[in-house]
Amino acid sequence: MPTQFTRRQLAAVGASALGASATAAPSGAQPDDGAAAAREASRAFPAGFHWGTATAAYQIEGAVSEDGRGPSIWDTFTHTPGKIRNDDNGDVADDHYHRYRDDVQSMKALSATAYRFSVSWSRIFPQGTGAPNPKGLDFYDRLLDNLVANDIAPFPTLYHWDLPQALQDRGGWERRDTAEAFADYAGYVAEKLSDRARHFFTLNECATFVELGHATGVFAPGLKLPPGRLNQMRHHALLAHGLAVQAIRARSRAGTQTGPAENVSVCVPVVETPEHIAAAELATRELNAPYLTAIMEGRYRDSFLAAAGADAPKVAAEDMNAIGTPVDFVGINVYAPGSYVSASDAAPGFVSVPFPAKHPTMNSSWLKIGPEALYWGPRNVARVWNASDIYITENGCSATVYDTDRIMFLRSYLTQLQRATSEGVPVRGYFHWSLMDNFEWADGFATRFGLLYVDYATQRRTPKLSASFYREVAARNRLV
């Protein structure tokens, strides 16, 4: 277990650093107040910018059999031997279901002004449909009340991969009526919570739960569908998003906003020249064709349909109108560039430049370091689809307690995000993944993305070094 330290020790480290800095200043040097103010302004984020953290229900809540919650596909998957590293599961996880008040205080200590969390569908509807479970809703009522009392804005996500097992037993996302059931659930939750929550994310990362859950089988429900069935279940997931947007609008309080949270494939121009930038914008549409492009444009790209051929999804008459229902904002999860893009005279007009074998990564080998992704991701979404409001719904990396590597990661990425906002890209908030170490899907508890270290034996939370960095950025609303 990593060495733990107290907030007092963290403060001592900071004081020591400040003392060293002061000692290093030239004798007799006088500060230039005007220049210092200009420097601070050049590093600032827009007024009202939301600084938050993010979590997901199955990863933190625990209490999987309490108060009427029904099982989800992740309960089933994690209890299948060999599916998860060390055969870990989320039965207890961070015990957030019982410790949420303390966790909200941890958010407040981080100077967070927003919290993105997910609602467990099977807590609300244990069978996926039918009569709602009042005790399940009560938990989220208590959580929202506590957040609002601490001036932290709730940003619920309605689906973070934990489909009720009862729906999976009937065919899951391969069935069209699962999309309809999701819309009913989304409308019900929005009706009950929109007096306090003003922003609802529909589905988190369609691309992940479709591809990893239904193509490669490494995530729940562990299927390896052939192309035709995979494309059809993907279509149903997109339809669920669109129908949910309509249901939320119909049943929530006036002024409630809604949109997706997608792990957009970020296309970065290899060189910032007009031809490569234009190629990156084109690539943004093409490489996101099965997901965000379909949502934002209300149609499948011709290139996507041509590549699918006979395996293309069957689309009912009004499906694309539903999928393309205008959204109030776009949430994007950004960790790394999806592709470095070069312009090409040959079709389709761009080339994805391969990553070299020695491209630097963070602690997780899949996380290729590319801070510019946090500029080009939102910039391209705004430019290509004219999005008026964008949220960075996830960004972060795994790290230990003394995580100077994550401070480097955050400083580099947030510098690029500040570049975006300074140029008028309409990013309204940033949610760090994650508030605390948690059950990290197929990696179990071995990978730690939290700003807070969690001792799973005692459930003690300890701020990592990066927590002090994030707190300063959030409190000052600028880079430090």
Side-chain angles (χ1 to χ4, degrees):
M1 183 180 72
T3 303
Q4 296 182 351
F5 56 91
T6 66
R7 288 187 176 89
R8 182 173 297 178
Q9 288 170 318
L10 267 178
V13 171
S16 176
L18 287 172
S21 176
T23 303
S27 176
Q30 298 297 318
D32 184 333
D33 292 341
R39 282 195 300 273
E40 288 199 10
S42 71
R43 297 165 67 83
F45 285 83
F49 191 85
H50 279 299
W51 293 99
T53 58
T55 64
Y58 187 76
Q59 293 182 270
I60 67 167
E61 283 181 1
V64 295
S65 299
E66 289 190 38
D67 292 335
R69 176 188 179 274
S72 78
I73 55 175
W74 274 95
D75 295 287
T76 302
F77 192 70
T78 58
H79 285 273
T80 303
K83 296 296 186 182
I84 307 296
R85 186 185 297 188
N86 301 320
D87 285 332
D88 291 337
N89 60 65
D91 289 1
V92 177
D94 293 325
D95 196 30
H96 175 73
Y97 192 79
H98 301 109
R99 300 170 185 267
Y100 70 90
R101 292 181 182 85
D102 291 338
D103 292 336
V104 170
Q105 291 306 305
S106 293
M107 297 173 212
K108 190 172 184 178
L110 289 168
S111 298
T113 58
Y115 176 44
R116 179 182 173 234
F117 60 96
S118 78
V119 177
S120 167
W121 186 347
S122 61
R123 281 200 195 280
I124 308 300
F125 291 95
Q127 299 301 308
T129 60
N133 171 32
K135 289 185 177 180
L137 184 67
D138 284 349
F139 167 70
Y140 297 104
D141 268 327
R142 296 193 300 272
L143 173 62
L144 262 64
D145 285 347
N146 204 259
L147 289 167
V148 171
N150 285 279
D151 297 318
I152 298 172
F155 280 70
T157 301
L158 293 165
Y159 186 73
H160 202 126
W161 312 347
D162 47 354
L163 185 73
Q165 183 61 44
L167 292 182
Q168 184 62 42
D169 292 342
R170 298 202 292 269
W173 288 111
E174 289 195 76
R175 289 177 59 101
R176 183 185 181 88
D177 58 8
T178 297
E180 296 165 353
F182 177 71
D184 290 341
Y185 148 71
Y188 175 80
V189 173
E191 178 182 349
K192 299 299 183 181
L193 302 185
S194 60
D195 58 333
R196 289 152 291 170
R198 310 302 292 151
H199 302 79
F200 288 84
F201 297 100
T202 54
L203 305 176
N204 180 75
E205 291 193 3
C206 278
T208 299
F209 76 80
V210 170
E211 308 296 341
L212 299 187
H214 298 80
T216 65
V218 297
F219 277 13
L223 302 179
K224 297 181 180 180
L225 300 179
R229 290 171 62 187
L230 182 69
N231 285 336
Q232 195 63 46
M233 71 78 47
R234 179 192 293 116
H235 177 73
H236 292 157
L238 294 181
L239 181 61
H241 155 80
L243 294 176
V245 170
Q246 295 176 353
I248 291 166
R249 293 237 170 88
R251 300 183 65 176
S252 63
R253 302 291 180 97
T256 301
Q257 297 188 344
T258 184
E262 189 54 64
N263 55 334
V264 63
S265 181
V266 177
C267 300
V268 178
V270 289
V271 184
E272 289 189 28
T273 56
E275 66 272 21
H276 295 309
I277 291 172
E281 292 172 359
L282 173 60
T284 296
R285 296 181 75 194
E286 292 291 344
L287 298 184
N288 290 286
Y291 300 102
L292 193 56
T293 304
I295 289 171
M296 298 304 290
E297 299 182 14
R299 68 184 185 94
Y300 290 119
R301 299 282 289 173
D302 291 342
S303 55
F304 168 72
L305 295 175
D311 292 319
K314 296 176 177 60
V315 180
E318 295 301 315
D319 284 4
M320 298 315 298
N321 287 337
I323 290 170
T325 301
V327 296
D328 299 297
F329 56 76
V330 179
I332 56 174
N333 296 353
V334 178
Y335 290 91
S339 181
Y340 287 97
V341 172
S342 177
S344 173
D345 292 332
F350 67 91
V351 173
S352 291
V353 179
F355 287 91
K358 295 295 185 179
H359 191 102
T361 67
M362 294 302 293
N363 195 37
S364 299
S365 60
W366 58 265
L367 208 171
K368 294 177 172 61
I369 301 172
E372 61 273 28
L374 212 48
Y375 170 78
W376 289 103
R379 184 265 183 204
N380 286 347
V381 168
R383 180 64 177 262
V384 171
W385 293 302
N386 198 31
S388 60
D389 291 271
I390 298 170
Y391 291 92
I392 305 302
T393 36
E394 290 183 23
N395 173 252
C397 62
S398 60
T400 59
V401 172
Y402 290 102
D403 53 353
T404 55
D405 55 344
R406 181 157 48 187
I407 292 176
M408 174 276 296
F409 178 94
L410 284 172
R411 183 180 289 116
S412 300
Y413 274 70
L414 291 176
T415 295
Q416 292 292 319
L417 183 63
Q418 195 276 336
R419 176 191 173 192
T421 59
S422 71
E423 293 179 8
V425 178
V427 182
R428 310 305 182 194
Y430 169 94
F431 294 87
H432 182 77
W433 187 271
S434 175
L435 171 65
M436 54 191 165
D437 295 340
N438 52 50
F439 176 81
E440 189 53 40
W441 309 113
D443 279 350
F445 294 108
T447 306
R448 294 175 172 271
F449 275 81
L451 290 168
L452 308 178
Y453 173 83
V454 177
D455 181 334
Y456 295 110
T458 65
Q459 292 295 338
R460 179 185 176 190
R461 280 80 155 131
T462 302
K464 298 180 185 179
L465 194 60
S466 59
S468 59
F469 172 81
Y470 190 69
R471 180 180 65 243
E472 290 301 317
V473 172
R476 300 173 189 227
N477 197 35
R478 66 172 176 85
L479 297 167
V480 294

